[in-house]
């Protein structure tokens, strides 16, 4: 029996629409780009879409429908989410009992038919329609996607509507009435969980919290580093929602006693892929789920677009180009350490280099890089993974996080034996990382020989450009926070214009929208190494680093304030004062 693609090839040759040479060319291009054959033929201009659609309809005995003339039932259209319709170019056009008629631009894609069948629970009958008509009808019948400038009240309207529908599902007193497997496959529940996920991405949230309380279920998003409550719904929805997230993350829905970790991917607005890392934790009122949103767009990992000052970026590129040594990124959880490390990896990546990462878990999946997930349950820890990796002849090693002395010891030895090692450390400042490593038992002479640079960083909220208000700070404030000294160093005018947050609809009345990074990079030059060898403290090392050209996070933050990217309040909230300012205050 011929496969669907073989039938298409047979029709094209039989009708004389393509020569064997052109068909072979299309098949080779298909293998390279991964598209279906019909799309490749149109892409290569071997046939016009209308002609190919007509011939396929006749050859496959699938009716060709002009859906632009049909008045569709909105309730039928909503059986398939907009993202799925856009991604696969399909549109439900009618439902009779348990049978759904589906207009498709490519009826040969049987996987799409199976997915829609599973999603809706209906028997699917495909009909053909032109791709352009399907796209036009999608835009007409589906509501416009929520944009990031809408208020949270507007974003929540969909969740409230879906909640009302789901609460109509009868959750019986016993498991015999309605099984949880049946409930999690119900269309309203799928719609609700999809809405939670999609709106989190559209709101640019970094984390989603699904938390059971005593009598309700709470949904919260972390946006720009701060947690906001999105909605509270019926506690009856707790088990179905948690189970739904477990299913799409390939976790055990019958296990409620121990924590579980998983991940899944989804396509947002039919445009780009977003990865979600999932953690399930048993609590007193039931299982809590936290989703970490990992946007995989290419811009995230571009070192040029992470907001580094030109001088800092130059120093990062310089140390990253060295053949061996250790580069550390330090800061609290959620300060962008992993993103920075991966942007450095992307900067130095080339076909000539063998790059291996070991993480818990892998956050960004990057093509061409060997990535290892640690699994302590089976004995695969950072330390054991690193010992094995060193036998793989790597040029560059990325360690997700240095948590103990054993891992740090192996990392230092790897840097000493000719490898470039990138890793992160939970410390507050770059200079503080040196003291921390010495306290973990690493001798100063080993640090001086292995570590080449330490990068400290934070994320500040970016002031909303639509509602920010300009003002001029007093001279006293400028002196107290070190702005006067910075202006003299940068040779800028004394009179400056700063901005403060106000709040509008586009920033959810917070005054901030998005985030911007600030950083400091301590390169281990001769003076810094001498201070380390003499076991000097954090402040002394920081002072010497500044003498060798290090710009502190406070200074970087003030420069971001002068550039109108953030507010003075944000910088003071996140950074500690430099010692020069402290001495003046005393």
């Amino acid at each position: 029996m011929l496969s669907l693609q073989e039938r298409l090839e047979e029709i094209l040759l039989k009708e004389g629409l393509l020569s064997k040479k052109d068909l072979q060319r299309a098949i080779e291009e298909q293998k390279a780009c991964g598209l279906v054959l019909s799309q490749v033929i149109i892409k290569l201009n071997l046939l016009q879409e209308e002609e190919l659609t007509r011939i396929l309809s006749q050859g496959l005995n699938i009716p060709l429908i002009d859906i632009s003339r049909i008045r569709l039932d909105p309730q039928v259209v909503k059986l398939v989410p907009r993202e799925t319709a856009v991604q696969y170019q399909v549109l439900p056009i009618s439902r009779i009992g348990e049978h759904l008629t589906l207009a498709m631009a490519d009826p040969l894609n049987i996987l799409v038919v199976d997915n829609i069948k599973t999603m809706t629970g209906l028997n699917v009958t495909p009909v053909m329609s032109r791709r352009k008509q399907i796209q036009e009808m999608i835009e007409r019948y589906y509501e416009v996607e929520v944009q990031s400038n809408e208020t949270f009240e507007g974003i929540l309207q969909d969740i409230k509507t879906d909640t009302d529908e789901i609460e109509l599902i009868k959750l019986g007193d016993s498991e015999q009435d309605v099984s949880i497997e049946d409930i999690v496959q119900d269309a309203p529940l799928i719609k609700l969980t999809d809405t939670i996920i999609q709106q989190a991405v559209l709101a640019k949230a970094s984390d989603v919290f699904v938390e059971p309380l005593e009598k309700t279920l709470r949904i919260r998003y972390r946006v720009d580093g701060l947690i906001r409550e999105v909605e509270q719904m019926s506690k009856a929805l707790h088990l179905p929602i948690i189970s739904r997230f477990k299913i799409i993350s390939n976790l055990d829905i019958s296990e409620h006693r121990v924590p579980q970790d998983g991940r899944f991917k989804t396509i947002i607005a039919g445009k780009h892929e977003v990865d979600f890392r999932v953690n399930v934790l048993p609590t007193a009122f039931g299982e809590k789920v936290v989703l970490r949103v990992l946007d995989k767009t290419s811009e995230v990992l571009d070192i040029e677009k992470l907001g580094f000052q030109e001088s800092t970026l130059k120093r990062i590129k310089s140390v990253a180009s060295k053949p061996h040594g250790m580069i550390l990124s330090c800061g609290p959880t959620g300060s962008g350490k992993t993103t920075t490390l991966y942007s450095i990896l992307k900067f130095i990546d080339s076909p000539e280099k063998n790059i291996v990462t070991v993480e818990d878990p892998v956050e960004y999946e990057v093509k061409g890089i060997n990535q290892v997930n640690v699994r302590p349950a089976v004995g695969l820890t950072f330390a054991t993974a690193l010992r094995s990796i060193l036998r793989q002849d790597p040029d560059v090693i990325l360690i997700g996080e240095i948590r103990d002395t054993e891992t740090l010891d192996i990392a230092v030895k790897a840097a000493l034996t000719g490898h470039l090692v990138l890793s992160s450390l939970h410390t507050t400042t770059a200079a503080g990382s040196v003291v921390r490593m010495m306290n973990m038992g690493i001798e100063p002479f080993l640090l001086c020989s292995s570590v080449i640079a330490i990068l400290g960083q934070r994320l500040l909220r970016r002031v909303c450009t639509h509602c920010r208000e300009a003002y001029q700070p007093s001279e006293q404030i400028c002196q107290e926070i070190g702005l006067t000294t910075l202006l003299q160093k940068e040779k800028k005018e004394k009179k400056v214009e700063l901005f403060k947050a106000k709040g509008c609809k586009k920033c959810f009345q917070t005054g901030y929208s998005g985030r911007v990074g600030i950083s400091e990079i301590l390169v281990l030059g001769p003076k810094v190494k001498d201070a380390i060898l003499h076991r000097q403290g954090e402040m002394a090392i920081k002072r010497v680093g500044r003498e060798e050209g290090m710009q502190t996070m406070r200074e970087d933050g003030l420069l971001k304030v002068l550039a109108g990217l953030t507010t003075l309040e944000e910088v003071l909230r996140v950074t500690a004062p430099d010692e020069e300012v402290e001495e003046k205050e005393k």
Side-chain angles (χ1 to χ4, degrees):
M1 184 176 178
L2 294 178
S3 67
L4 292 172
Q5 176 156 328
E6 289 171 337
R7 288 173 63 193
L8 173 58
E9 294 172 11
E10 183 182 60
I11 292 168
L12 293 172
L13 293 175
K14 183 179 178 181
E15 297 291 333
L17 296 172
L18 289 183
S19 65
K20 288 186 178 180
K21 183 179 178 181
D22 285 340
L23 181 59
Q24 188 59 37
R25 175 188 165 200
I27 293 172
E28 290 175 0
E29 176 67 20
Q30 179 200 16
K31 292 177 181 177
C33 68
L35 298 173
V36 295
L37 186 58
S38 57
Q39 288 179 284
V40 173
I41 291 170
I42 296 169
K43 178 184 174 183
L44 296 176
N45 292 320
L46 297 176
L47 281 176
Q48 294 297 316
E49 182 182 355
E50 290 192 5
E51 185 179 12
L52 180 60
T53 303
R54 179 178 56 82
I55 294 299
L56 283 178
S57 174
Q58 294 174 357
L60 298 172
N61 290 321
I62 297 176
L64 178 62
I65 305 295
D66 183 357
I67 61 173
S68 63
R69 299 175 181 271
I70 301 175
R71 185 179 181 86
L72 305 182
D73 182 352
Q75 296 303 318
V76 173
V77 172
K78 287 182 180 179
L79 289 173
V80 176
R82 177 190 172 94
E83 297 73 35
T84 305
V86 171
Q87 181 183 0
Y88 297 124
Q89 289 296 287
V90 299
L91 189 70
I93 58 176
S94 71
R95 175 184 177 179
I96 301 175
E98 297 300 311
H99 296 274
L100 179 69
T101 302
L102 187 71
M104 304 180 65
D106 180 21
L108 293 175
N109 197 335
I110 195 169
L111 292 177
V112 174
V113 176
D114 288 341
N115 286 344
I116 302 297
K117 183 177 179 181
T118 302
M119 182 184 299
T120 62
L122 302 173
N123 297 317
V124 176
T125 302
V127 297
M128 285 196 71
S129 185
R130 293 178 175 83
R131 192 176 298 271
K132 185 178 179 181
Q133 288 182 355
I134 291 177
Q135 187 60 44
E136 288 174 353
M137 297 293 276
I138 288 173
E139 296 300 326
R140 183 190 305 177
Y141 278 90
Y142 284 97
E143 295 178 2
V144 178
E145 290 287 346
V146 177
Q147 299 301 317
S148 59
N149 61 356
E150 289 193 63
T151 63
F152 264 97
E153 286 77 11
I155 289 176
L156 292 177
Q157 192 56 48
D158 287 341
I159 295 181
K160 288 180 180 178
T161 302
D162 295 340
T163 302
D164 293 339
E165 292 182 31
I166 294 175
E167 287 181 332
L168 295 177
I169 301 171
K170 184 177 184 295
L171 295 176
D173 295 330
S174 67
E175 293 183 2
Q176 295 177 351
D177 292 332
V178 181
S179 70
I180 191 66
E181 288 81 0
D182 294 333
I183 295 171
V184 297
Q185 296 298 335
D186 193 88
L189 183 74
I190 294 174
K191 243 174 94 180
L192 174 57
T193 52
D194 286 350
T195 301
I196 293 171
I197 291 168
Q198 292 159 17
Q199 304 303 353
V201 176
L202 292 171
K204 297 181 180 177
S206 59
D207 299 270
V208 179
F209 302 86
V210 182
E211 304 167 307
L213 304 180
E214 186 176 3
K215 296 181 180 179
T216 59
L217 178 68
R218 180 171 64 178
I219 309 295
R220 297 194 294 172
Y221 294 162
R222 185 185 294 278
V223 181
D224 296 337
L226 299 179
I227 297 178
R228 301 174 188 167
E229 184 172 308
V230 177
E231 176 70 337
Q232 288 201 17
M233 53 187 72
S234 169
K235 186 67 180 285
L237 299 175
H238 172 242
L239 186 57
I241 289 177
I242 298 297
S243 298
R244 176 65 186 168
F245 281 125
K246 283 184 178 181
I247 285 173
I248 61 178
S249 307
N250 293 318
L251 301 179
D252 184 358
I253 66 170
S254 64
E255 179 57 72
H256 307 288
R257 299 164 299 173
V258 297
Q260 296 187 68
D261 291 295
R263 65 191 308 153
F264 66 91
K265 300 175 185 177
T266 187
I267 304 293
I268 301 298
K271 294 180 181 178
H272 65 275
E273 188 176 67
V274 179
D275 202 356
F276 289 84
R277 197 176 73 199
V278 183
N279 178 263
V280 183
L281 178 70
T283 69
F285 296 117
E287 289 178 294
K288 170 185 174 181
V289 169
V290 177
L291 311 178
R292 170 61 61 89
V293 185
L294 303 169
D295 196 333
K296 301 175 70 177
T297 52
S298 58
E299 284 190 1
V300 173
L301 302 181
D302 190 340
I303 197 171
E304 300 280 354
K305 298 178 181 178
L306 292 182
F308 291 117
Q309 296 287 353
E310 188 176 343
S311 58
T312 303
L313 184 60
K314 186 177 179 181
R315 298 183 106 191
I316 292 174
K317 288 182 176 180
S318 175
V319 296
S321 301
K322 294 185 181 297
H324 55 82
M326 184 158 65
I327 301 172
L328 290 173
S329 176
C330 65
T333 301
S335 59
K337 300 187 297 297
T338 304
T339 300
T340 297
L341 292 176
Y342 265 102
S343 70
I344 294 174
L345 270 192
K346 190 174 179 184
F347 170 70
I348 63 177
D349 186 24
S350 68
E352 295 80 24
K353 290 182 179 177
N354 179 18
I355 300 177
V356 185
T357 76
V358 51
E359 303 166 76
D360 182 22
V362 171
E363 289 199 14
Y364 296 102
E365 295 178 0
V366 182
K367 291 182 180 178
I369 293 179
N370 308 287
Q371 298 173 278
V372 178
N373 256 322
V374 301
R375 298 177 64 191
V378 295
L380 184 61
T381 62
F382 277 108
T384 54
L386 281 172
R387 289 192 185 93
S388 180
I389 285 170
L390 289 172
R391 301 188 196 103
Q392 295 270 322
D393 189 29
D395 298 298
V396 183
I397 303 170
L398 186 148
I399 306 168
E401 182 185 343
I402 292 177
R403 298 176 178 174
D404 50 51
T405 302
E406 187 180 13
T407 304
L408 177 59
D409 182 60
I410 298 171
V412 167
K413 289 176 180 176
L416 291 171
T417 53
H419 305 87
L420 182 63
V421 180
L422 309 178
S423 190
S424 67
L425 199 62
H426 282 286
T427 53
T428 54
T429 63
S433 298
V434 175
V435 179
R436 170 75 185 280
M437 287 188 285
M438 286 193 289
N439 289 339
M440 291 174 73
I442 302 300
E443 292 295 330
F445 72 90
L446 287 176
L447 290 179
C448 293
S449 302
S450 58
V451 180
I452 54 179
I454 304 172
L455 182 70
Q457 61 186 81
R458 297 288 189 281
L459 291 176
L460 303 179
R461 291 183 293 170
R462 189 186 292 265
V463 67
C464 176
T465 56
H466 296 94
C467 64
R468 64 183 186 180
E469 291 183 346
Y471 72 99
Q472 286 190 343
S474 65
E475 290 186 10
Q476 182 182 355
I477 291 177
C478 290
Q479 290 178 355
E480 287 179 356
I481 63 175
L483 194 56
T484 303
T485 306
L486 183 64
L487 290 171
Q488 292 172 353
K489 187 186 293 185
E490 298 290 325
K491 297 180 180 179
K492 293 185 178 182
E493 295 182 9
K494 290 186 178 180
K495 288 187 177 181
V496 295
E497 184 180 69
L498 306 184
F499 294 93
K500 60 182 178 180
K502 183 182 178 183
C504 64
K505 288 183 178 181
K506 294 190 176 182
C507 62
F508 312 126
Q509 304 299 329
T510 63
Y512 299 94
S513 179
R515 289 196 284 183
V516 60
I518 58 171
S519 60
E520 61 184 19
I521 180 167
L522 176 66
V523 177
L524 272 66
K527 291 183 180 179
V528 175
K529 288 183 178 180
D530 186 62
I532 294 172
L533 288 171
H534 286 86
R535 292 183 179 271
Q536 294 188 19
E538 178 181 343
M539 298 304 291
I541 294 172
K542 181 178 178 181
R543 190 177 294 110
V544 174
R546 295 184 71 186
E547 290 174 6
E548 292 194 338
M550 181 182 82
Q551 187 178 70
T552 65
M553 278 189 282
R554 170 62 68 92
E555 290 173 333
D556 190 12
L558 293 175
L559 287 174
K560 296 288 195 303
V561 171
L562 292 172
L565 297 176
T566 188
T567 63
L568 201 54
E569 292 77 12
E570 269 296 286
V571 175
L572 298 179
R573 179 179 70 87
V574 171
T575 64
D578 296 327
E579 63 271 14
E580 290 179 4
V581 178
E582 287 181 331
E583 289 171 5
K584 287 182 180 179
E585 289 177 348
K586 290 178 182 178

